[in-house]
Amino acid sequence: MKAPLLLILDGHWYRCVGSQWQQLAAWESNKELELDLVVSDFSQATSGLQLLDVKPEYAAAVIEKRLRQEGAVDGAAHIIVHARQGVAGGTQMLFTGVPVDEWQQLNIWLEKQPRVLPVFGLPDLMLAQLRGDGRVVMRAGRHFFYLCRSGHRLAFARISAVSEIQDDLAIAMRTLMSGLERMAGRGGEDTAVIGFDLLASGDATPWQLLSDYLGIALKELSAEQVSMPEAATNSLNPMTHSALINLRSPAIWKSANPVFDRGLAWLDRHQWSLAMAVGMVAVTLMLTSGVQHMQWRQDSAELTVKLDEVEQVRSQIQMLPSAEQQIAQAGPLLDLLQASAGRTLDASPTQVLCDVQDSRGEQVRILRVGKDAAGWYLDGQVKEGEDAAAIAHLLRQLQLRGYQPEAIKNTDARGGVRSYFSYRLHPAAEEGRSDA
Protein backbone atom coordinates (compact mmCIF):
# COMPACT_ATOMS: atom_id res chain seq x y z
CA MET A 1 0.00 0.00 0.00
CA LYS A 2 1.65 3.18 -1.17
CA ALA A 3 -1.12 5.51 -0.01
CA PRO A 4 -0.41 7.35 3.28
CA LEU A 5 -1.97 5.48 6.20
CA LEU A 6 -2.00 5.51 9.97
CA LEU A 7 -0.81 2.26 11.60
CA ILE A 8 -1.66 1.86 15.31
CA LEU A 9 0.16 -1.05 17.00
CA ASP A 10 0.68 -1.62 20.73
CA GLY A 11 -0.33 1.95 21.46
CA HIS A 12 2.20 3.43 18.99
CA TRP A 13 1.02 5.58 16.10
CA TYR A 14 2.90 5.58 12.80
CA ARG A 15 2.24 7.52 9.64
CA CYS A 16 3.40 5.29 6.80
CA VAL A 17 4.09 6.31 3.20
CA GLY A 18 5.89 3.41 1.57
CA SER A 19 9.13 2.85 3.48
CA GLN A 20 9.03 6.35 5.01
CA TRP A 21 7.54 6.19 8.49
CA GLN A 22 6.84 8.94 10.99
CA GLN A 23 5.93 8.32 14.60
CA LEU A 24 3.09 10.44 15.96
CA ALA A 25 1.78 11.25 19.38
CA ALA A 26 -1.38 9.29 20.21
CA TRP A 27 -4.62 11.09 19.37
CA GLU A 28 -2.71 13.90 17.67
CA SER A 29 -4.90 15.91 15.31
CA ASN A 30 -2.94 17.36 12.43
CA LYS A 31 -4.74 18.38 9.27
CA GLU A 32 -1.47 18.25 7.33
CA LEU A 33 -1.08 14.49 7.78
CA GLU A 34 -3.10 13.77 4.60
CA LEU A 35 -3.98 10.21 5.62
CA ASP A 36 -5.89 7.81 3.40
CA LEU A 37 -6.90 5.05 5.87
CA VAL A 38 -6.31 3.69 9.37
CA VAL A 39 -5.12 0.17 10.34
CA SER A 40 -5.27 -0.59 14.06
CA ASP A 41 -4.99 -3.45 16.50
CA PHE A 42 -7.30 -1.47 18.81
CA SER A 43 -4.83 -1.79 21.71
CA GLN A 44 -4.51 -5.55 21.27
CA ALA A 45 -8.28 -6.02 21.33
CA THR A 46 -9.58 -9.60 21.29
CA SER A 47 -10.07 -11.10 17.81
CA GLY A 48 -11.48 -14.52 17.11
CA LEU A 49 -13.94 -16.75 15.32
CA GLN A 50 -17.43 -17.63 16.58
CA LEU A 51 -20.05 -20.03 15.19
CA LEU A 52 -23.51 -18.50 15.61
CA ASP A 53 -27.00 -19.60 14.70
CA VAL A 54 -28.76 -16.26 15.06
CA LYS A 55 -29.97 -13.51 12.77
CA PRO A 56 -27.19 -11.17 11.52
CA GLU A 57 -28.62 -8.18 13.42
CA TYR A 58 -28.24 -10.08 16.73
CA ALA A 59 -24.74 -11.45 16.05
CA ALA A 60 -22.80 -8.56 17.61
CA ALA A 61 -24.84 -8.68 20.82
CA VAL A 62 -24.37 -12.45 21.17
CA ILE A 63 -20.60 -12.19 20.58
CA GLU A 64 -20.26 -9.38 23.14
CA LYS A 65 -22.19 -11.41 25.69
CA ARG A 66 -19.90 -14.41 25.19
CA LEU A 67 -16.75 -12.27 25.47
CA ARG A 68 -17.96 -10.76 28.75
CA GLN A 69 -18.86 -14.19 30.11
CA GLU A 70 -15.39 -15.51 29.18
CA GLY A 71 -13.71 -12.43 30.72
CA ALA A 72 -12.11 -11.45 27.41
CA VAL A 73 -13.37 -7.87 27.79
CA ASP A 74 -14.11 -5.65 30.74
CA GLY A 75 -17.39 -3.83 30.36
CA ALA A 76 -19.14 -3.04 27.10
CA ALA A 77 -17.46 -3.72 23.77
CA HIS A 78 -18.04 -2.65 20.19
CA ILE A 79 -17.99 -5.71 17.93
CA ILE A 80 -16.43 -5.35 14.46
CA VAL A 81 -17.37 -8.22 12.13
CA HIS A 82 -14.63 -8.69 9.54
CA ALA A 83 -16.08 -11.69 7.67
CA ARG A 84 -19.09 -14.00 7.63
CA GLN A 85 -19.03 -17.55 6.30
CA GLY A 86 -22.12 -19.74 6.16
CA VAL A 87 -21.48 -23.33 7.30
CA ALA A 88 -23.54 -26.27 8.45
CA GLY A 89 -25.16 -25.36 11.74
CA GLY A 90 -24.89 -21.58 11.46
CA THR A 91 -22.55 -18.78 10.41
CA GLN A 92 -18.88 -18.29 11.22
CA MET A 93 -18.08 -14.74 12.37
CA LEU A 94 -14.54 -13.37 12.28
CA PHE A 95 -14.63 -10.47 14.73
CA THR A 96 -12.73 -8.04 16.94
CA GLY A 97 -14.15 -6.84 20.26
CA VAL A 98 -13.06 -3.22 20.87
CA PRO A 99 -13.70 -1.65 24.30
CA VAL A 100 -16.40 0.96 23.91
CA ASP A 101 -14.30 3.72 25.50
CA GLU A 102 -11.50 3.28 23.00
CA TRP A 103 -13.93 2.99 20.07
CA GLN A 104 -15.64 6.24 21.05
CA GLN A 105 -12.31 8.01 21.51
CA LEU A 106 -11.21 6.84 18.04
CA ASN A 107 -14.44 8.11 16.50
CA ILE A 108 -14.01 11.50 18.15
CA TRP A 109 -10.53 11.70 16.65
CA LEU A 110 -11.85 10.64 13.22
CA GLU A 111 -14.47 13.42 13.27
CA LYS A 112 -11.69 16.00 13.59
CA GLN A 113 -9.94 14.84 10.43
CA PRO A 114 -10.37 16.80 7.19
CA ARG A 115 -11.69 13.74 5.32
CA VAL A 116 -13.47 10.50 6.14
CA LEU A 117 -10.89 7.83 7.02
CA PRO A 118 -11.91 4.15 6.69
CA VAL A 119 -10.79 2.09 9.71
CA PHE A 120 -9.58 -1.51 9.40
CA GLY A 121 -8.53 -4.15 11.90
CA LEU A 122 -5.61 -6.54 11.41
CA PRO A 123 -7.93 -9.39 10.24
CA ASP A 124 -9.15 -7.06 7.44
CA LEU A 125 -5.55 -6.63 6.31
CA MET A 126 -5.04 -10.41 6.23
CA LEU A 127 -8.30 -11.03 4.34
CA ALA A 128 -7.28 -8.48 1.71
CA GLN A 129 -4.24 -10.62 0.79
CA LEU A 130 -6.39 -13.65 -0.09
CA ARG A 131 -7.99 -14.22 -3.46
CA GLY A 132 -10.19 -17.25 -2.90
CA ASP A 133 -8.89 -20.09 -0.70
CA GLY A 134 -5.54 -19.76 1.03
CA ARG A 135 -3.67 -19.18 4.26
CA VAL A 136 -2.01 -16.08 5.67
CA VAL A 137 0.48 -15.82 8.53
CA MET A 138 1.26 -12.28 9.70
CA ARG A 139 3.75 -11.02 12.24
CA ALA A 140 3.21 -7.71 14.01
CA GLY A 141 5.99 -7.14 16.46
CA ARG A 142 6.06 -10.20 18.73
CA HIS A 143 2.53 -11.26 17.79
CA PHE A 144 1.65 -13.88 15.15
CA PHE A 145 -1.75 -14.14 13.44
CA TYR A 146 -2.99 -17.05 11.33
CA LEU A 147 -5.99 -16.99 8.95
CA CYS A 148 -7.16 -19.82 6.70
CA ARG A 149 -10.03 -19.88 4.23
CA SER A 150 -10.69 -23.26 2.71
CA GLY A 151 -13.88 -24.07 0.88
CA HIS A 152 -16.70 -22.78 3.06
CA ARG A 153 -14.82 -22.64 6.35
CA LEU A 154 -12.60 -20.15 8.16
CA ALA A 155 -9.85 -20.74 10.73
CA PHE A 156 -8.16 -18.09 12.84
CA ALA A 157 -5.52 -18.15 15.56
CA ARG A 158 -3.23 -15.74 17.37
CA ILE A 159 -0.19 -16.19 19.63
CA SER A 160 2.39 -13.84 21.12
CA ALA A 161 6.10 -14.45 21.74
CA VAL A 162 7.81 -13.38 24.94
CA SER A 163 10.19 -11.14 23.00
CA GLU A 164 11.43 -10.55 19.47
CA ILE A 165 14.65 -12.54 19.74
CA GLN A 166 15.03 -15.53 17.42
CA ASP A 167 14.53 -18.26 20.05
CA ASP A 168 11.36 -16.73 21.46
CA LEU A 169 9.95 -16.24 17.94
CA ALA A 170 10.70 -19.88 17.09
CA ILE A 171 8.95 -21.07 20.25
CA ALA A 172 5.88 -18.97 19.42
CA MET A 173 5.93 -20.31 15.84
CA ARG A 174 6.04 -23.95 17.02
CA THR A 175 3.24 -23.30 19.49
CA LEU A 176 1.13 -21.75 16.73
CA MET A 177 1.73 -24.73 14.44
CA SER A 178 0.79 -27.25 17.12
CA GLY A 179 -2.37 -25.34 17.77
CA LEU A 180 -3.17 -25.41 14.09
CA GLU A 181 -2.76 -29.16 14.08
CA ARG A 182 -5.24 -29.53 16.94
CA MET A 183 -7.79 -27.30 15.17
CA ALA A 184 -7.35 -29.23 11.90
CA GLY A 185 -5.82 -26.13 10.42
CA ARG A 186 -2.37 -27.49 9.63
CA GLY A 187 -3.34 -27.42 5.97
CA GLY A 188 -2.42 -30.68 4.30
CA GLU A 189 -4.31 -29.26 1.33
CA ASP A 190 -2.26 -27.61 -1.38
CA THR A 191 -3.60 -24.18 -0.61
CA ALA A 192 -1.32 -21.19 -0.96
CA VAL A 193 0.44 -19.84 2.11
CA ILE A 194 1.41 -16.18 2.39
CA GLY A 195 3.69 -14.87 5.11
CA PHE A 196 4.64 -11.27 5.79
CA ASP A 197 5.87 -8.89 8.46
CA LEU A 198 3.53 -6.03 9.15
CA LEU A 199 6.09 -4.59 11.54
CA ALA A 200 9.13 -6.44 12.82
CA SER A 201 12.41 -5.45 14.36
CA GLY A 202 15.52 -7.29 15.45
CA ASP A 203 15.93 -10.84 14.16
CA ALA A 204 14.29 -11.96 10.95
CA THR A 205 11.06 -13.93 11.17
CA PRO A 206 11.68 -17.73 10.97
CA TRP A 207 9.41 -18.24 7.97
CA GLN A 208 11.47 -21.23 6.80
CA LEU A 209 10.49 -23.08 9.96
CA LEU A 210 6.80 -22.62 9.10
CA SER A 211 7.38 -23.64 5.49
CA ASP A 212 9.16 -26.84 6.50
CA TYR A 213 6.41 -27.77 8.93
CA LEU A 214 3.60 -27.16 6.42
CA GLY A 215 5.46 -29.09 3.73
CA ILE A 216 4.64 -26.48 1.13
CA ALA A 217 6.42 -23.49 -0.29
CA LEU A 218 5.57 -20.30 1.53
CA LYS A 219 5.15 -17.08 -0.41
CA GLU A 220 6.89 -14.45 1.64
CA LEU A 221 6.00 -10.87 0.86
CA SER A 222 9.26 -9.00 0.82
CA ALA A 223 9.82 -6.51 3.63
CA GLU A 224 11.76 -3.27 3.38
CA GLN A 225 13.68 -1.53 6.09
CA VAL A 226 11.72 1.27 7.66
CA SER A 227 13.27 4.71 7.51
CA MET A 228 12.22 7.05 10.30
CA PRO A 229 13.55 10.45 11.39
CA GLU A 230 15.13 10.60 14.81
CA ALA A 231 12.58 11.50 17.46
CA ALA A 232 12.38 11.32 21.20
CA THR A 233 9.35 9.08 20.95
CA ASN A 234 10.90 6.72 18.41
CA SER A 235 10.10 3.17 19.54
CA LEU A 236 11.73 1.45 16.55
CA ASN A 237 15.30 0.22 16.37
CA PRO A 238 17.39 0.66 13.19
CA MET A 239 16.60 -2.93 12.10
CA THR A 240 12.85 -2.38 11.88
CA HIS A 241 11.32 -3.61 8.61
CA SER A 242 7.83 -3.96 7.11
CA ALA A 243 6.12 -5.47 4.06
CA LEU A 244 3.34 -2.90 4.26
CA ILE A 245 4.28 -1.33 0.93
CA ASN A 246 3.70 -4.67 -0.82
CA LEU A 247 0.30 -5.42 0.74
CA ARG A 248 -3.06 -5.05 -0.93
CA SER A 249 -5.29 -2.38 0.54
CA PRO A 250 -8.62 -3.58 2.01
CA ALA A 251 -11.78 -2.53 0.22
CA ILE A 252 -13.34 0.62 1.63
CA TRP A 253 -16.79 -0.92 1.80
CA LYS A 254 -15.42 -3.57 4.21
CA SER A 255 -14.16 -1.03 6.76
CA ALA A 256 -15.43 -0.80 10.33
CA ASN A 257 -17.01 2.60 9.72
CA PRO A 258 -20.78 3.13 9.59
CA VAL A 259 -22.33 2.52 6.18
CA PHE A 260 -22.85 6.22 5.51
CA ASP A 261 -19.19 7.01 6.25
CA ARG A 262 -18.08 4.19 3.96
CA GLY A 263 -20.06 5.75 1.15
CA LEU A 264 -18.55 9.19 1.80
CA ALA A 265 -15.04 7.72 1.91
CA TRP A 266 -15.60 5.89 -1.37
CA LEU A 267 -16.94 9.03 -3.05
CA ASP A 268 -14.02 11.08 -1.72
CA ARG A 269 -11.46 8.68 -3.17
CA HIS A 270 -13.21 8.20 -6.49
CA GLN A 271 -14.27 11.77 -7.14
CA TRP A 272 -12.03 12.08 -10.19
CA SER A 273 -13.36 8.82 -11.59
CA LEU A 274 -16.90 10.00 -10.90
CA ALA A 275 -16.13 13.37 -12.47
CA MET A 276 -14.75 11.64 -15.56
CA ALA A 277 -17.78 9.34 -15.69
CA VAL A 278 -20.15 12.29 -15.31
CA GLY A 279 -18.19 14.19 -17.94
CA MET A 280 -18.39 11.27 -20.35
CA VAL A 281 -22.12 10.97 -19.73
CA ALA A 282 -22.51 14.72 -20.30
CA VAL A 283 -20.49 14.56 -23.54
CA THR A 284 -22.52 11.57 -24.68
CA LEU A 285 -25.75 13.41 -23.93
CA MET A 286 -24.50 16.50 -25.77
CA LEU A 287 -23.49 14.44 -28.80
CA THR A 288 -26.80 12.61 -28.74
CA SER A 289 -28.66 15.91 -28.42
CA GLY A 290 -26.65 17.37 -31.31
CA VAL A 291 -27.37 14.38 -33.53
CA GLN A 292 -31.06 14.56 -32.64
CA HIS A 293 -31.08 18.30 -33.33
CA MET A 294 -29.52 17.74 -36.75
CA GLN A 295 -32.04 15.00 -37.45
CA TRP A 296 -34.88 17.29 -36.41
CA ARG A 297 -33.58 20.03 -38.69
CA GLN A 298 -33.35 17.58 -41.59
CA ASP A 299 -36.85 16.28 -40.89
CA SER A 300 -38.12 19.88 -40.67
CA ALA A 301 -36.55 20.73 -44.05
CA GLU A 302 -38.09 17.65 -45.64
CA LEU A 303 -41.46 18.52 -44.14
CA THR A 304 -41.19 22.07 -45.52
CA VAL A 305 -40.49 20.68 -49.01
CA LYS A 306 -43.49 18.35 -48.73
CA LEU A 307 -45.72 21.21 -47.61
CA ASP A 308 -44.55 23.31 -50.57
CA GLU A 309 -45.41 20.46 -52.94
CA VAL A 310 -48.84 20.11 -51.35
CA GLU A 311 -49.39 23.86 -51.70
CA GLN A 312 -48.43 23.72 -55.39
CA VAL A 313 -50.88 20.88 -56.02
CA ARG A 314 -53.52 22.77 -54.10
CA SER A 315 -52.94 25.88 -56.25
CA GLN A 316 -53.20 23.80 -59.41
CA ILE A 317 -56.47 22.30 -58.19
CA GLN A 318 -57.85 25.76 -57.47
CA MET A 319 -56.99 26.80 -61.04
CA LEU A 320 -59.15 24.01 -62.50
CA PRO A 321 -62.68 25.02 -63.66
CA SER A 322 -65.62 24.20 -61.44
CA ALA A 323 -67.95 21.28 -62.09
CA GLU A 324 -70.59 23.58 -63.66
CA GLN A 325 -67.96 25.12 -65.94
CA GLN A 326 -66.68 21.68 -66.98
CA ILE A 327 -70.24 20.54 -67.80
CA ALA A 328 -70.88 23.69 -69.79
CA GLN A 329 -67.62 23.28 -71.70
CA ALA A 330 -68.36 19.62 -72.39
CA GLY A 331 -71.94 20.29 -73.65
CA PRO A 332 -71.12 20.43 -77.40
CA LEU A 333 -68.94 17.37 -77.10
CA LEU A 334 -71.70 15.44 -75.34
CA ASP A 335 -74.19 16.48 -78.03
CA LEU A 336 -71.79 15.31 -80.71
CA LEU A 337 -71.23 11.98 -79.01
CA GLN A 338 -74.94 11.49 -78.54
CA ALA A 339 -75.64 12.31 -82.15
CA SER A 340 -72.90 10.00 -83.41
CA ALA A 341 -74.04 7.14 -81.20
CA GLY A 342 -77.70 7.57 -82.19
CA ARG A 343 -80.73 8.19 -80.12
CA THR A 344 -82.72 5.68 -78.23
CA LEU A 345 -86.21 4.99 -79.63
CA ASP A 346 -88.55 6.50 -77.05
CA ALA A 347 -91.88 5.04 -78.25
CA SER A 348 -94.34 3.03 -76.25
CA PRO A 349 -94.80 -0.69 -77.07
CA THR A 350 -98.32 -0.03 -78.28
CA GLN A 351 -97.12 2.70 -80.64
CA VAL A 352 -94.37 0.45 -82.04
CA LEU A 353 -96.76 -2.46 -82.59
CA CYS A 354 -99.30 -0.24 -84.30
CA ASP A 355 -96.64 1.34 -86.54
CA VAL A 356 -95.27 -2.06 -87.55
CA GLN A 357 -98.76 -3.44 -88.22
CA ASP A 358 -99.75 -0.43 -90.30
CA SER A 359 -96.51 -0.56 -92.31
CA ARG A 360 -96.76 -4.15 -93.51
CA GLY A 361 -98.54 -5.17 -96.71
CA GLU A 362 -100.67 -8.21 -97.44
CA GLN A 363 -97.61 -10.20 -98.53
CA VAL A 364 -95.78 -9.60 -95.22
CA ARG A 365 -96.37 -11.55 -92.08
CA ILE A 366 -94.93 -10.15 -88.81
CA LEU A 367 -93.68 -13.00 -86.64
CA ARG A 368 -92.28 -11.08 -83.65
CA VAL A 369 -91.77 -7.57 -82.36
CA GLY A 370 -89.49 -7.25 -79.32
CA LYS A 371 -87.04 -5.10 -77.41
CA ASP A 372 -83.62 -5.91 -75.97
CA ALA A 373 -80.67 -3.88 -74.68
CA ALA A 374 -79.96 -2.55 -78.17
CA GLY A 375 -83.54 -1.39 -78.79
CA TRP A 376 -86.59 -2.53 -80.79
CA TYR A 377 -86.43 -5.24 -83.44
CA LEU A 378 -88.87 -7.22 -85.60
CA ASP A 379 -88.85 -10.60 -87.32
CA GLY A 380 -91.08 -11.32 -90.32
CA GLN A 381 -91.77 -13.49 -93.36
CA VAL A 382 -92.87 -12.71 -96.92
CA LYS A 383 -94.67 -14.93 -99.41
CA GLU A 384 -92.50 -16.43 -102.09
CA GLY A 385 -92.16 -14.41 -105.17
CA GLU A 386 -93.23 -11.21 -103.41
CA ASP A 387 -90.33 -10.73 -101.02
CA ALA A 388 -88.43 -7.85 -102.60
CA ALA A 389 -91.39 -5.60 -103.26
CA ALA A 390 -93.10 -6.48 -99.98
CA ILE A 391 -89.96 -5.77 -97.89
CA ALA A 392 -89.31 -2.52 -99.75
CA HIS A 393 -92.89 -1.44 -99.04
CA LEU A 394 -92.44 -2.32 -95.32
CA LEU A 395 -89.20 -0.39 -95.00
CA ARG A 396 -90.59 2.69 -96.73
CA GLN A 397 -93.63 2.74 -94.46
CA LEU A 398 -91.49 2.41 -91.34
CA GLN A 399 -89.28 5.31 -92.46
CA LEU A 400 -92.34 7.44 -92.97
CA ARG A 401 -93.38 6.71 -89.39
CA GLY A 402 -90.00 7.82 -87.92
CA TYR A 403 -88.00 4.63 -87.92
CA GLN A 404 -84.63 3.80 -89.46
CA PRO A 405 -84.68 -0.01 -90.13
CA GLU A 406 -81.36 -1.86 -90.11
CA ALA A 407 -81.19 -5.46 -91.37
CA ILE A 408 -79.78 -7.90 -88.88
CA LYS A 409 -80.48 -11.00 -90.92
CA ASN A 410 -80.07 -11.47 -94.65
CA THR A 411 -83.38 -11.99 -96.40
CA ASP A 412 -83.45 -15.29 -98.27
CA ALA A 413 -85.60 -14.78 -101.45
CA ARG A 414 -84.78 -17.97 -103.25
CA GLY A 415 -87.74 -19.44 -105.15
CA GLY A 416 -89.77 -22.19 -103.59
CA VAL A 417 -88.65 -21.22 -100.04
CA ARG A 418 -90.42 -18.84 -97.67
CA SER A 419 -88.24 -15.75 -97.00
CA TYR A 420 -87.51 -14.54 -93.45
CA PHE A 421 -86.15 -11.21 -92.42
CA SER A 422 -85.11 -9.32 -89.23
CA TYR A 423 -84.62 -5.58 -88.74
CA ARG A 424 -83.43 -3.39 -85.92
CA LEU A 425 -85.60 -0.29 -85.50
CA HIS A 426 -83.62 2.89 -84.84
CA PRO A 427 -85.09 6.36 -84.50
CA ALA A 428 -84.87 8.32 -87.71
CA ALA A 429 -83.33 11.81 -87.95
CA GLU A 430 -85.39 14.79 -86.72
CA GLU A 431 -87.76 14.91 -89.68
CA GLY A 432 -91.07 14.52 -87.86
CA ARG A 433 -93.47 11.62 -88.12
CA SER A 434 -95.85 10.81 -90.97
CA ASP A 435 -98.94 8.60 -90.78
CA ALA A 436 -99.08 7.84 -94.52
Side-chain angles (χ1 to χ4, degrees), residues 349 351-371 376-383 387 390-395 397-398 401 405 418-425:
Q351 181 65 42
V352 173
L353 290 176
C354 293
D355 290 340
V356 171
Q357 185 64 26
D358 294 342
S359 299
R360 74 177 183 85
E362 295 180 357
Q363 293 80 16
V364 176
R365 180 183 178 188
I366 302 300
L367 300 177
R368 181 173 56 181
V369 176
K371 186 178 183 182
W376 290 94
Y377 65 89
L378 64 86
D379 296 330
Q381 182 184 13
V382 295
K383 295 180 180 179
D387 52 348
I391 291 175
H393 175 76
L394 174 64
L395 297 178
Q397 293 299 320
L398 289 172
R401 287 173 169 79
R418 294 177 178 268
S419 298
Y420 294 90
F421 60 86
S422 294
Y423 285 93
R424 175 74 63 186
L425 300 180

Side-chain angles (χ1 to χ4, degrees), residues 267-281:
L267 291 175
D268 180 46
R269 286 150 183 80
H270 295 82
Q271 55 184 339
W272 290 110
S273 301
L274 290 174
M276 291 180 62
V278 172
M280 293 179 63
V281 171

Side-chain angles (χ1 to χ4, degrees), residues 38-59:
V38 177
V39 178
S40 176
D41 63 356
F42 303 106
S43 299
Q44 298 298 320
T46 301
S47 295
L49 198 64
Q50 291 274 0
L51 178 61
L52 303 177
D53 188 14
V54 297
K55 294 182 179 181
E57 55 267 27
Y58 304 138

Side-chain angles (χ1 to χ4, degrees), residues 99-112:
V100 170
D101 293 341
E102 180 162 346
W103 179 253
Q104 291 177 347
Q105 189 175 7
L106 178 60
N107 278 274
I108 293 174
W109 179 85
L110 290 172
E111 291 176 356
K112 297 178 181 179

Side-chain angles (χ1 to χ4, degrees), residues 287-303:
L287 291 176
T288 304
S289 177
V291 171
Q292 291 180 347
H293 180 68
M294 293 176 62
Q295 185 65 38
W296 291 338
R297 291 186 61 182
Q298 182 178 356
D299 294 343
S300 177
E302 293 178 356
L303 180 60

Side-chain angles (χ1 to χ4, degrees), residues 7-15 21-25 141 164 199-202 226 228-241:
L7 180 62
I8 306 176
L9 291 176
D10 284 334
H12 299 289
W13 289 41
Y14 304 101
R15 180 181 183 270
W21 288 42
Q22 176 186 0
Q23 189 165 4
L24 307 174
E164 294 188 50
L199 182 64
S201 61
V226 172
M228 182 178 294
E230 293 293 333
T233 59
N234 189 357
S235 63
L236 304 180
N237 63 41
M239 299 298 294
T240 300
H241 54 276

